[in-house]
Amino acid sequence: MPVISGLEDVIAAESSICKVDGEKGRLIYRGYDIDDLAEHSTYEEVVYLLWFGQLPVRNELDRLYKELGASRKLPQPVINAMKNFPKEAVPMEVLRTVASMLSMYDADANEKSEEANVRKATRLTAQIPTIVAYWDCIRNDRKLVEPKPEHNTAASFLHLLHSGKEPDEVAVKSLDVALILHAEHELNASTFAARVAAGTETDMHSAVTAAIGTLKGPLHGGANQEVIKMLIEIGELDKVESYIKKMFQDHKKLMGFGHRVYKVQDPRAAHLRKMSKALGEGAGETKWYEMSNKIEQLAKQEKGLNCNVDFYSASVYYMLGIERDLFTPIFAISRISGWCAHIMEQYKNNRLIRPESEYIGKMDLKYVPIDKR
Ligand code: CMC
């Protein structure tokens, strides 16, 4: 059998959670187009949709909202441990470590019923934003405030991040839409990692920990942090062209561009582009949007490359005043819902995921005792 590099085009699971149509540039969650959801839905509603397969009626949404609101606190020993972490620890390292730690304080940690998995998914979805916000406060010596149960996910994150300052409506709405757009993307690398872990029948926290570690890489969720690093390094609109052309001459990868599945524009990028423009105009600082736009044109013209979700999300989060190294954790704040949906789907119809490799090493060597080598 031929080896398929990077498992490109390999169908590795049946799933009814999400469809990515790479030819038409469409993204569908449980039958609903992402354009429709981004326009009309909320992140919490999308979480319900991903986990339970249909949009909630009012009391179902109220219940999930309430459960998320009641589950945002972190156990005190976990907060104490975070206070002892080195201040220079990268937020994604902290998130990966703390998500794993939480299982030791979760009464359902090794309980495998469907109900227990939904309870754990709810707690993880509620706690991950708190971890990210608290870590930014701890490392910068800002005070930790209690989450407010009435906040939605976006508002809670911003409220905790800014030590109790009520977030403004535009920021909450923008982040809520960004969370909808990042929630799910079928067998992307981190979700696949989560499904491989779940396929061994390990617990949900272990599968989520594997996913967070996978998301961190710059070819996946880590790309949004690289994008803002590049924008800041370029600095001005008139420097974009020479910078990007030099990158291409040097055969360097342009972060936030290219995709394994989309052959046309990533549908999420259109929403983020619009948001980046609106936030820039609202703040009277359109430079980051304009630079991004210019890079997008050059990438298309020079290399035929389309931008992906990570490109405009960088200027969106930057305009929201969020620290650069929190960009990938924000991806995790959203994608936790998709990971949990896949982990639960994998548990329901599980078979161990165990491919093979083509051995290309030596054969038939004879063991030589150490003193004779
Ligand atoms: N910059 C420059 N050239 C690129 C880029 C890019 N960003 N992406 C693809 N190409 C070129 C690549 O050099 C190759 O050209 P050639 O055939 O001449 O060697 C061709 O396009 C195919 O690229 P590939 O790397 O084989 O494609 P892949 O499917 O293995 O990788 C990818 C997909 C997303 C890892 C890649 O496009 C990439 O590294 N992009 C930059 C990182 C990034 O933005 N990642 C976020 C992905 S989307 C959201 C997410 O998952 O987080």
Side-chain angles (χ1 to χ4, degrees), residues 8 185 188-189 215 218-223 248 252-261 266 268 303 305 308-310 331 335:
E8 182 164 4
H185 214 236
N188 60 90
L215 183 73
L219 296 191
H220 189 9
F248 287 146
K252 286 194 183 149
K253 271 201 168 170
L254 188 54
M255 290 297 160
F257 282 83
H259 201 275
R260 174 62 65 77
V261 185
D266 180 333
R268 302 166 296 178
K303 283 264 184 179
L305 285 170
N308 58 52
V309 70
D310 288 315
F331 198 149
R335 186 57 61 84

PDB file of all heavy atoms in Angstrom, residues 8 185 188-189 215 218-223 248 252-261 266 268 303 305 308-310 331 335, ligand 1:
ATOM      1  N   GLU A   8      -3.026  13.010   3.687  1.00  0.00           N
ATOM      2  CA  GLU A   8      -3.826  13.895   2.828  1.00  0.00           C
ATOM      3  C   GLU A   8      -4.923  13.109   2.110  1.00  0.00           C
ATOM      4  O   GLU A   8      -4.670  12.030   1.565  1.00  0.00           O
ATOM      5  CB  GLU A   8      -2.899  14.563   1.794  1.00  0.00           C
ATOM      6  CG  GLU A   8      -3.639  15.522   0.899  1.00  0.00           C
ATOM      7  CD  GLU A   8      -2.708  16.458   0.137  1.00  0.00           C
ATOM      8  OE1 GLU A   8      -1.477  16.320   0.246  1.00  0.00           O
ATOM      9  OE2 GLU A   8      -3.237  17.335  -0.565  1.00  0.00           O
ATOM     10  N   HIS A 185     -13.990  22.008  13.178  1.00  0.00           N
ATOM     11  CA  HIS A 185     -13.447  21.906  11.817  1.00  0.00           C
ATOM     12  C   HIS A 185     -13.074  20.478  11.490  1.00  0.00           C
ATOM     13  O   HIS A 185     -11.953  20.185  11.082  1.00  0.00           O
ATOM     14  CB  HIS A 185     -12.251  22.854  11.653  1.00  0.00           C
ATOM     15  CG  HIS A 185     -12.152  23.439  10.286  1.00  0.00           C
ATOM     16  ND1 HIS A 185     -11.047  23.333   9.494  1.00  0.00           N
ATOM     17  CD2 HIS A 185     -13.067  24.128   9.551  1.00  0.00           C
ATOM     18  CE1 HIS A 185     -11.270  23.932   8.342  1.00  0.00           C
ATOM     19  NE2 HIS A 185     -12.489  24.425   8.352  1.00  0.00           N
ATOM     20  N   ASN A 188      -9.314  18.205  11.785  1.00  0.00           N
ATOM     21  CA  ASN A 188      -8.071  18.973  11.880  1.00  0.00           C
ATOM     22  C   ASN A 188      -7.131  18.256  12.848  1.00  0.00           C
ATOM     23  O   ASN A 188      -7.552  17.351  13.583  1.00  0.00           O
ATOM     24  CB  ASN A 188      -8.392  20.392  12.362  1.00  0.00           C
ATOM     25  CG  ASN A 188      -9.059  20.359  13.711  1.00  0.00           C
ATOM     26  OD1 ASN A 188      -8.395  20.402  14.748  1.00  0.00           O
ATOM     27  ND2 ASN A 188     -10.376  20.206  13.747  1.00  0.00           N
ATOM     28  N   ALA A 189      -5.861  18.675  12.873  1.00  0.00           N
ATOM     29  CA  ALA A 189      -4.856  17.903  13.615  1.00  0.00           C
ATOM     30  C   ALA A 189      -5.192  17.727  15.102  1.00  0.00           C
ATOM     31  O   ALA A 189      -5.047  16.625  15.656  1.00  0.00           O
ATOM     32  CB  ALA A 189      -3.486  18.550  13.453  1.00  0.00           C
ATOM     33  N   LEU A 215      -2.749  21.637  19.117  1.00  0.00           N
ATOM     34  CA  LEU A 215      -3.179  22.958  18.613  1.00  0.00           C
ATOM     35  C   LEU A 215      -2.047  23.984  18.686  1.00  0.00           C
ATOM     36  O   LEU A 215      -1.973  24.920  17.894  1.00  0.00           O
ATOM     37  CB  LEU A 215      -4.384  23.458  19.424  1.00  0.00           C
ATOM     38  CG  LEU A 215      -4.986  24.782  18.956  1.00  0.00           C
ATOM     39  CD1 LEU A 215      -5.763  24.598  17.651  1.00  0.00           C
ATOM     40  CD2 LEU A 215      -5.904  25.387  20.020  1.00  0.00           C
ATOM     41  N   PRO A 218       2.781  25.797  15.283  1.00  0.00           N
ATOM     42  CA  PRO A 218       2.583  26.903  14.340  1.00  0.00           C
ATOM     43  C   PRO A 218       1.933  26.511  13.015  1.00  0.00           C
ATOM     44  O   PRO A 218       1.430  27.374  12.306  1.00  0.00           O
ATOM     45  CB  PRO A 218       3.994  27.457  14.121  1.00  0.00           C
ATOM     46  CG  PRO A 218       4.926  26.398  14.576  1.00  0.00           C
ATOM     47  CD  PRO A 218       4.205  25.593  15.610  1.00  0.00           C
ATOM     48  N   LEU A 219       1.927  25.232  12.664  1.00  0.00           N
ATOM     49  CA  LEU A 219       1.223  24.851  11.432  1.00  0.00           C
ATOM     50  C   LEU A 219      -0.272  24.710  11.682  1.00  0.00           C
ATOM     51  O   LEU A 219      -1.063  24.539  10.755  1.00  0.00           O
ATOM     52  CB  LEU A 219       1.778  23.536  10.862  1.00  0.00           C
ATOM     53  CG  LEU A 219       3.227  23.559  10.402  1.00  0.00           C
ATOM     54  CD1 LEU A 219       3.563  22.292   9.628  1.00  0.00           C
ATOM     55  CD2 LEU A 219       3.557  24.790   9.558  1.00  0.00           C
ATOM     56  N   HIS A 220      -0.675  24.767  12.948  1.00  0.00           N
ATOM     57  CA  HIS A 220      -2.102  24.648  13.296  1.00  0.00           C
ATOM     58  C   HIS A 220      -2.497  25.934  14.035  1.00  0.00           C
ATOM     59  O   HIS A 220      -2.350  27.024  13.496  1.00  0.00           O
ATOM     60  CB  HIS A 220      -2.265  23.367  14.126  1.00  0.00           C
ATOM     61  CG  HIS A 220      -3.665  22.927  14.410  1.00  0.00           C
ATOM     62  ND1 HIS A 220      -4.770  23.485  13.828  1.00  0.00           N
ATOM     63  CD2 HIS A 220      -4.137  21.949  15.242  1.00  0.00           C
ATOM     64  CE1 HIS A 220      -5.867  22.874  14.285  1.00  0.00           C
ATOM     65  NE2 HIS A 220      -5.502  21.936  15.148  1.00  0.00           N
ATOM     66  N   GLY A 221      -2.973  25.844  15.254  1.00  0.00           N
ATOM     67  CA  GLY A 221      -3.497  27.034  15.943  1.00  0.00           C
ATOM     68  C   GLY A 221      -2.447  28.077  16.257  1.00  0.00           C
ATOM     69  O   GLY A 221      -2.761  29.263  16.411  1.00  0.00           O
ATOM     70  N   GLY A 222      -1.193  27.635  16.370  1.00  0.00           N
ATOM     71  CA  GLY A 222      -0.115  28.580  16.690  1.00  0.00           C
ATOM     72  C   GLY A 222       0.117  29.612  15.598  1.00  0.00           C
ATOM     73  O   GLY A 222       0.819  30.604  15.811  1.00  0.00           O
ATOM     74  N   ALA A 223      -0.491  29.404  14.412  1.00  0.00           N
ATOM     75  CA  ALA A 223      -0.251  30.316  13.283  1.00  0.00           C
ATOM     76  C   ALA A 223      -0.735  31.735  13.578  1.00  0.00           C
ATOM     77  O   ALA A 223      -0.124  32.709  13.128  1.00  0.00           O
ATOM     78  CB  ALA A 223      -0.909  29.775  12.018  1.00  0.00           C
ATOM     79  N   PHE A 248       8.883  35.229   0.096  1.00  0.00           N
ATOM     80  CA  PHE A 248       8.669  34.243  -0.968  1.00  0.00           C
ATOM     81  C   PHE A 248       9.979  33.871  -1.656  1.00  0.00           C
ATOM     82  O   PHE A 248      10.216  32.708  -1.942  1.00  0.00           O
ATOM     83  CB  PHE A 248       7.631  34.750  -1.980  1.00  0.00           C
ATOM     84  CG  PHE A 248       6.213  34.735  -1.434  1.00  0.00           C
ATOM     85  CD1 PHE A 248       5.293  35.705  -1.802  1.00  0.00           C
ATOM     86  CD2 PHE A 248       5.797  33.747  -0.550  1.00  0.00           C
ATOM     87  CE1 PHE A 248       3.988  35.690  -1.309  1.00  0.00           C
ATOM     88  CE2 PHE A 248       4.496  33.720  -0.045  1.00  0.00           C
ATOM     89  CZ  PHE A 248       3.590  34.693  -0.425  1.00  0.00           C
ATOM     90  N   LYS A 252      10.119  31.087   2.387  1.00  0.00           N
ATOM     91  CA  LYS A 252       9.569  30.980   3.749  1.00  0.00           C
ATOM     92  C   LYS A 252       8.064  30.835   3.681  1.00  0.00           C
ATOM     93  O   LYS A 252       7.431  31.356   2.749  1.00  0.00           O
ATOM     94  CB  LYS A 252       9.925  32.223   4.559  1.00  0.00           C
ATOM     95  CG  LYS A 252      11.379  32.253   4.965  1.00  0.00           C
ATOM     96  CD  LYS A 252      11.575  33.299   6.033  1.00  0.00           C
ATOM     97  CE  LYS A 252      13.032  33.403   6.416  1.00  0.00           C
ATOM     98  NZ  LYS A 252      13.399  34.744   6.826  1.00  0.00           N
ATOM     99  N   LYS A 253       7.491  30.195   4.667  1.00  0.00           N
ATOM    100  CA  LYS A 253       6.031  30.035   4.717  1.00  0.00           C
ATOM    101  C   LYS A 253       5.377  31.292   5.263  1.00  0.00           C
ATOM    102  O   LYS A 253       5.867  31.872   6.232  1.00  0.00           O
ATOM    103  CB  LYS A 253       5.677  28.868   5.631  1.00  0.00           C
ATOM    104  CG  LYS A 253       5.635  27.582   4.873  1.00  0.00           C
ATOM    105  CD  LYS A 253       4.822  26.538   5.572  1.00  0.00           C
ATOM    106  CE  LYS A 253       4.584  25.385   4.615  1.00  0.00           C
ATOM    107  NZ  LYS A 253       4.011  24.239   5.287  1.00  0.00           N
ATOM    108  N   LEU A 254       4.288  31.652   4.664  1.00  0.00           N
ATOM    109  CA  LEU A 254       3.533  32.809   5.120  1.00  0.00           C
ATOM    110  C   LEU A 254       2.456  32.297   6.077  1.00  0.00           C
ATOM    111  O   LEU A 254       1.572  31.528   5.675  1.00  0.00           O
ATOM    112  CB  LEU A 254       2.913  33.474   3.887  1.00  0.00           C
ATOM    113  CG  LEU A 254       2.224  34.801   4.049  1.00  0.00           C
ATOM    114  CD1 LEU A 254       3.122  35.831   4.706  1.00  0.00           C
ATOM    115  CD2 LEU A 254       1.792  35.318   2.665  1.00  0.00           C
ATOM    116  N   MET A 255       2.576  32.712   7.330  1.00  0.00           N
ATOM    117  CA  MET A 255       1.646  32.179   8.332  1.00  0.00           C
ATOM    118  C   MET A 255       0.235  32.746   8.141  1.00  0.00           C
ATOM    119  O   MET A 255       0.083  33.924   7.782  1.00  0.00           O
ATOM    120  CB  MET A 255       2.161  32.497   9.730  1.00  0.00           C
ATOM    121  CG  MET A 255       3.378  31.700  10.060  1.00  0.00           C
ATOM    122  SD  MET A 255       2.953  29.950  10.064  1.00  0.00           S
ATOM    123  CE  MET A 255       4.514  29.182   9.881  1.00  0.00           C
ATOM    124  N   GLY A 256      -0.765  31.894   8.359  1.00  0.00           N
ATOM    125  CA  GLY A 256      -2.146  32.325   8.152  1.00  0.00           C
ATOM    126  C   GLY A 256      -2.588  32.129   6.703  1.00  0.00           C
ATOM    127  O   GLY A 256      -3.660  32.593   6.316  1.00  0.00           O
ATOM    128  N   PHE A 257      -1.765  31.452   5.916  1.00  0.00           N
ATOM    129  CA  PHE A 257      -2.112  31.192   4.512  1.00  0.00           C
ATOM    130  C   PHE A 257      -1.978  29.708   4.207  1.00  0.00           C
ATOM    131  O   PHE A 257      -1.169  29.011   4.811  1.00  0.00           O
ATOM    132  CB  PHE A 257      -1.203  31.986   3.562  1.00  0.00           C
ATOM    133  CG  PHE A 257      -1.614  33.420   3.484  1.00  0.00           C
ATOM    134  CD1 PHE A 257      -1.190  34.314   4.460  1.00  0.00           C
ATOM    135  CD2 PHE A 257      -2.467  33.866   2.483  1.00  0.00           C
ATOM    136  CE1 PHE A 257      -1.591  35.641   4.419  1.00  0.00           C
ATOM    137  CE2 PHE A 257      -2.882  35.183   2.447  1.00  0.00           C
ATOM    138  CZ  PHE A 257      -2.447  36.080   3.408  1.00  0.00           C
ATOM    139  N   GLY A 258      -2.768  29.267   3.246  1.00  0.00           N
ATOM    140  CA  GLY A 258      -2.720  27.867   2.827  1.00  0.00           C
ATOM    141  C   GLY A 258      -3.628  27.024   3.696  1.00  0.00           C
ATOM    142  O   GLY A 258      -3.973  27.415   4.828  1.00  0.00           O
ATOM    143  N   HIS A 259      -4.060  25.928   3.159  1.00  0.00           N
ATOM    144  CA  HIS A 259      -4.904  25.011   3.924  1.00  0.00           C
ATOM    145  C   HIS A 259      -4.884  23.633   3.284  1.00  0.00           C
ATOM    146  O   HIS A 259      -4.825  23.532   2.059  1.00  0.00           O
ATOM    147  CB  HIS A 259      -6.348  25.533   3.999  1.00  0.00           C
ATOM    148  CG  HIS A 259      -7.101  24.934   5.130  1.00  0.00           C
ATOM    149  ND1 HIS A 259      -7.743  23.717   5.026  1.00  0.00           N
ATOM    150  CD2 HIS A 259      -7.275  25.352   6.408  1.00  0.00           C
ATOM    151  CE1 HIS A 259      -8.286  23.435   6.191  1.00  0.00           C
ATOM    152  NE2 HIS A 259      -8.012  24.401   7.051  1.00  0.00           N
ATOM    153  N   ARG A 260      -4.922  22.620   4.088  1.00  0.00           N
ATOM    154  CA  ARG A 260      -4.927  21.265   3.552  1.00  0.00           C
ATOM    155  C   ARG A 260      -6.215  20.968   2.787  1.00  0.00           C
ATOM    156  O   ARG A 260      -6.193  20.289   1.762  1.00  0.00           O
ATOM    157  CB  ARG A 260      -4.728  20.272   4.714  1.00  0.00           C
ATOM    158  CG  ARG A 260      -4.846  18.815   4.360  1.00  0.00           C
ATOM    159  CD  ARG A 260      -3.791  18.348   3.355  1.00  0.00           C
ATOM    160  NE  ARG A 260      -2.428  18.385   3.801  1.00  0.00           N
ATOM    161  CZ  ARG A 260      -1.855  17.508   4.627  1.00  0.00           C
ATOM    162  NH1 ARG A 260      -2.542  16.499   5.087  1.00  0.00           N
ATOM    163  NH2 ARG A 260      -0.595  17.626   4.972  1.00  0.00           N
ATOM    164  N   VAL A 261      -7.333  21.470   3.252  1.00  0.00           N
ATOM    165  CA  VAL A 261      -8.617  21.080   2.646  1.00  0.00           C
ATOM    166  C   VAL A 261      -9.186  22.163   1.725  1.00  0.00           C
ATOM    167  O   VAL A 261      -9.666  21.870   0.633  1.00  0.00           O
ATOM    168  CB  VAL A 261      -9.652  20.700   3.738  1.00  0.00           C
ATOM    169  CG1 VAL A 261     -10.938  20.182   3.097  1.00  0.00           C
ATOM    170  CG2 VAL A 261      -9.075  19.648   4.686  1.00  0.00           C
ATOM    171  N   ASP A 266     -11.136  30.257   2.635  1.00  0.00           N
ATOM    172  CA  ASP A 266     -11.655  29.724   3.899  1.00  0.00           C
ATOM    173  C   ASP A 266     -12.868  30.593   4.290  1.00  0.00           C
ATOM    174  O   ASP A 266     -12.721  31.815   4.437  1.00  0.00           O
ATOM    175  CB  ASP A 266     -10.516  29.842   4.935  1.00  0.00           C
ATOM    176  CG  ASP A 266     -10.874  29.326   6.315  1.00  0.00           C
ATOM    177  OD1 ASP A 266     -12.067  29.347   6.673  1.00  0.00           O
ATOM    178  OD2 ASP A 266      -9.939  28.945   7.038  1.00  0.00           O
ATOM    179  N   ARG A 268     -14.383  31.154   6.899  1.00  0.00           N
ATOM    180  CA  ARG A 268     -14.252  31.853   8.186  1.00  0.00           C
ATOM    181  C   ARG A 268     -13.476  33.156   8.015  1.00  0.00           C
ATOM    182  O   ARG A 268     -13.698  34.130   8.725  1.00  0.00           O
ATOM    183  CB  ARG A 268     -13.547  30.939   9.197  1.00  0.00           C
ATOM    184  CG  ARG A 268     -14.287  29.635   9.413  1.00  0.00           C
ATOM    185  CD  ARG A 268     -13.433  28.612  10.126  1.00  0.00           C
ATOM    186  NE  ARG A 268     -12.252  28.202   9.357  1.00  0.00           N
ATOM    187  CZ  ARG A 268     -11.341  27.341   9.785  1.00  0.00           C
ATOM    188  NH1 ARG A 268     -11.468  26.797  10.964  1.00  0.00           N
ATOM    189  NH2 ARG A 268     -10.297  27.014   9.032  1.00  0.00           N
ATOM    190  N   LYS A 303       1.547  33.881  -5.309  1.00  0.00           N
ATOM    191  CA  LYS A 303       1.627  32.433  -5.056  1.00  0.00           C
ATOM    192  C   LYS A 303       0.294  31.720  -5.195  1.00  0.00           C
ATOM    193  O   LYS A 303       0.210  30.516  -4.950  1.00  0.00           O
ATOM    194  CB  LYS A 303       2.127  32.210  -3.610  1.00  0.00           C
ATOM    195  CG  LYS A 303       3.598  32.421  -3.408  1.00  0.00           C
ATOM    196  CD  LYS A 303       4.318  31.090  -3.482  1.00  0.00           C
ATOM    197  CE  LYS A 303       5.776  31.175  -3.212  1.00  0.00           C
ATOM    198  NZ  LYS A 303       6.408  29.869  -3.286  1.00  0.00           N
ATOM    199  N   LEU A 305      -2.054  31.922  -3.111  1.00  0.00           N
ATOM    200  CA  LEU A 305      -2.434  31.430  -1.782  1.00  0.00           C
ATOM    201  C   LEU A 305      -3.630  32.194  -1.211  1.00  0.00           C
ATOM    202  O   LEU A 305      -3.709  33.419  -1.343  1.00  0.00           O
ATOM    203  CB  LEU A 305      -1.272  31.608  -0.796  1.00  0.00           C
ATOM    204  CG  LEU A 305      -0.086  30.648  -0.901  1.00  0.00           C
ATOM    205  CD1 LEU A 305       1.044  31.144  -0.004  1.00  0.00           C
ATOM    206  CD2 LEU A 305      -0.500  29.229  -0.487  1.00  0.00           C
ATOM    207  N   ASN A 308      -6.249  31.753   5.629  1.00  0.00           N
ATOM    208  CA  ASN A 308      -7.090  30.859   6.424  1.00  0.00           C
ATOM    209  C   ASN A 308      -7.587  31.594   7.673  1.00  0.00           C
ATOM    210  O   ASN A 308      -7.329  32.789   7.851  1.00  0.00           O
ATOM    211  CB  ASN A 308      -6.344  29.557   6.756  1.00  0.00           C
ATOM    212  CG  ASN A 308      -5.037  29.814   7.508  1.00  0.00           C
ATOM    213  OD1 ASN A 308      -5.040  30.518   8.512  1.00  0.00           O
ATOM    214  ND2 ASN A 308      -3.937  29.256   7.018  1.00  0.00           N
ATOM    215  N   VAL A 309      -8.259  30.859   8.542  1.00  0.00           N
ATOM    216  CA  VAL A 309      -8.896  31.444   9.734  1.00  0.00           C
ATOM    217  C   VAL A 309      -7.911  32.205  10.624  1.00  0.00           C
ATOM    218  O   VAL A 309      -8.270  33.164  11.300  1.00  0.00           O
ATOM    219  CB  VAL A 309      -9.628  30.326  10.523  1.00  0.00           C
ATOM    220  CG1 VAL A 309      -8.638  29.377  11.190  1.00  0.00           C
ATOM    221  CG2 VAL A 309     -10.605  30.871  11.535  1.00  0.00           C
ATOM    222  N   ASP A 310      -6.651  31.762  10.611  1.00  0.00           N
ATOM    223  CA  ASP A 310      -5.680  32.354  11.531  1.00  0.00           C
ATOM    224  C   ASP A 310      -5.183  33.731  11.093  1.00  0.00           C
ATOM    225  O   ASP A 310      -4.559  34.434  11.877  1.00  0.00           O
ATOM    226  CB  ASP A 310      -4.472  31.419  11.694  1.00  0.00           C
ATOM    227  CG  ASP A 310      -4.834  30.194  12.504  1.00  0.00           C
ATOM    228  OD1 ASP A 310      -5.493  30.360  13.533  1.00  0.00           O
ATOM    229  OD2 ASP A 310      -4.479  29.077  12.098  1.00  0.00           O
ATOM    230  N   PHE A 331      -8.189  30.322  20.559  1.00  0.00           N
ATOM    231  CA  PHE A 331      -8.609  29.256  19.630  1.00  0.00           C
ATOM    232  C   PHE A 331      -9.076  28.051  20.466  1.00  0.00           C
ATOM    233  O   PHE A 331     -10.139  27.457  20.215  1.00  0.00           O
ATOM    234  CB  PHE A 331      -7.396  28.912  18.749  1.00  0.00           C
ATOM    235  CG  PHE A 331      -7.678  28.165  17.485  1.00  0.00           C
ATOM    236  CD1 PHE A 331      -6.860  28.358  16.360  1.00  0.00           C
ATOM    237  CD2 PHE A 331      -8.728  27.256  17.362  1.00  0.00           C
ATOM    238  CE1 PHE A 331      -7.077  27.670  15.170  1.00  0.00           C
ATOM    239  CE2 PHE A 331      -8.955  26.557  16.176  1.00  0.00           C
ATOM    240  CZ  PHE A 331      -8.122  26.765  15.088  1.00  0.00           C
ATOM    241  N   ARG A 335     -12.411  25.937  20.440  1.00  0.00           N
ATOM    242  CA  ARG A 335     -12.345  24.594  19.861  1.00  0.00           C
ATOM    243  C   ARG A 335     -12.615  23.492  20.881  1.00  0.00           C
ATOM    244  O   ARG A 335     -12.917  22.355  20.504  1.00  0.00           O
ATOM    245  CB  ARG A 335     -10.993  24.400  19.158  1.00  0.00           C
ATOM    246  CG  ARG A 335     -10.805  23.115  18.366  1.00  0.00           C
ATOM    247  CD  ARG A 335     -11.837  22.876  17.287  1.00  0.00           C
ATOM    248  NE  ARG A 335     -11.894  23.896  16.247  1.00  0.00           N
ATOM    249  CZ  ARG A 335     -11.107  23.952  15.172  1.00  0.00           C
ATOM    250  NH1 ARG A 335     -10.174  23.041  14.989  1.00  0.00           N
ATOM    251  NH2 ARG A 335     -11.265  24.916  14.268  1.00  0.00           N
TER     252      ARG A 335
HETATM  253  N1  CMC B   1       3.244  30.010   2.567  1.00  0.00           N
HETATM  254  C1  CMC B   1       3.948  29.742   1.454  1.00  0.00           C
HETATM  255  N2  CMC B   1       3.739  28.657   0.687  1.00  0.00           N
HETATM  256  C2  CMC B   1       2.771  27.819   1.089  1.00  0.00           C
HETATM  257  C3  CMC B   1       1.989  28.050   2.229  1.00  0.00           C
HETATM  258  C4  CMC B   1       2.262  29.192   2.974  1.00  0.00           C
HETATM  259  N3  CMC B   1       1.559  29.465   4.062  1.00  0.00           N
HETATM  260  N4  CMC B   1       1.103  27.053   2.375  1.00  0.00           N
HETATM  261  C5  CMC B   1       1.310  26.219   1.365  1.00  0.00           C
HETATM  262  N5  CMC B   1       2.314  26.687   0.574  1.00  0.00           N
HETATM  263  C6  CMC B   1       2.842  26.049  -0.629  1.00  0.00           C
HETATM  264  C7  CMC B   1       3.914  25.055  -0.212  1.00  0.00           C
HETATM  265  O1  CMC B   1       5.195  25.627  -0.188  1.00  0.00           O
HETATM  266  C8  CMC B   1       3.770  23.995  -1.273  1.00  0.00           C
HETATM  267  O2  CMC B   1       4.384  24.456  -2.431  1.00  0.00           O
HETATM  268  P1  CMC B   1       5.257  23.465  -3.349  1.00  0.00           P
HETATM  269  O3  CMC B   1       4.278  22.429  -3.825  1.00  0.00           O
HETATM  270  O4  CMC B   1       5.791  24.355  -4.410  1.00  0.00           O
HETATM  271  O5  CMC B   1       6.298  22.903  -2.443  1.00  0.00           O
HETATM  272  C9  CMC B   1       2.279  23.964  -1.554  1.00  0.00           C
HETATM  273  O6  CMC B   1       1.809  25.268  -1.207  1.00  0.00           O
HETATM  274  C10 CMC B   1       1.551  22.912  -0.725  1.00  0.00           C
HETATM  275  O7  CMC B   1       1.827  23.160   0.641  1.00  0.00           O
HETATM  276  P2  CMC B   1       1.985  22.083   1.779  1.00  0.00           P
HETATM  277  O8  CMC B   1       2.780  22.642   2.908  1.00  0.00           O
HETATM  278  O9  CMC B   1       2.448  20.789   1.184  1.00  0.00           O
HETATM  279  O10 CMC B   1       0.475  21.928   2.202  1.00  0.00           O
HETATM  280  P3  CMC B   1      -0.077  21.130   3.442  1.00  0.00           P
HETATM  281  O11 CMC B   1      -1.445  20.739   3.105  1.00  0.00           O
HETATM  282  O12 CMC B   1       0.876  20.067   3.854  1.00  0.00           O
HETATM  283  O13 CMC B   1      -0.044  22.208   4.613  1.00  0.00           O
HETATM  284  C11 CMC B   1      -0.607  24.039   5.931  1.00  0.00           C
HETATM  285  C12 CMC B   1      -1.115  22.983   4.964  1.00  0.00           C
HETATM  286  C13 CMC B   1      -1.782  24.787   6.515  1.00  0.00           C
HETATM  287  C14 CMC B   1       0.182  23.370   7.077  1.00  0.00           C
HETATM  288  C15 CMC B   1       0.314  25.021   5.162  1.00  0.00           C
HETATM  289  O14 CMC B   1      -0.428  25.709   4.187  1.00  0.00           O
HETATM  290  C16 CMC B   1       1.014  25.988   6.087  1.00  0.00           C
HETATM  291  O15 CMC B   1       2.070  25.663   6.647  1.00  0.00           O
HETATM  292  N6  CMC B   1       0.458  27.218   6.285  1.00  0.00           N
HETATM  293  C17 CMC B   1       1.031  28.162   7.222  1.00  0.00           C
HETATM  294  C18 CMC B   1       0.615  27.824   8.642  1.00  0.00           C
HETATM  295  C19 CMC B   1      -0.838  28.123   8.894  1.00  0.00           C
HETATM  296  O16 CMC B   1      -1.353  29.160   8.534  1.00  0.00           O
HETATM  297  N7  CMC B   1      -1.498  27.186   9.567  1.00  0.00           N
HETATM  298  C20 CMC B   1      -2.925  27.315   9.917  1.00  0.00           C
HETATM  299  C21 CMC B   1      -3.755  26.335   9.153  1.00  0.00           C
HETATM  300  S1  CMC B   1      -5.502  26.637   9.106  1.00  0.00           S
HETATM  301  C22 CMC B   1      -6.110  26.752  10.685  1.00  0.00           C
HETATM  302  C23 CMC B   1      -5.536  25.837  11.689  1.00  0.00           C
HETATM  303  O17 CMC B   1      -5.506  24.631  11.510  1.00  0.00           O
HETATM  304  O18 CMC B   1      -5.097  26.338  12.706  1.00  0.00           O
END
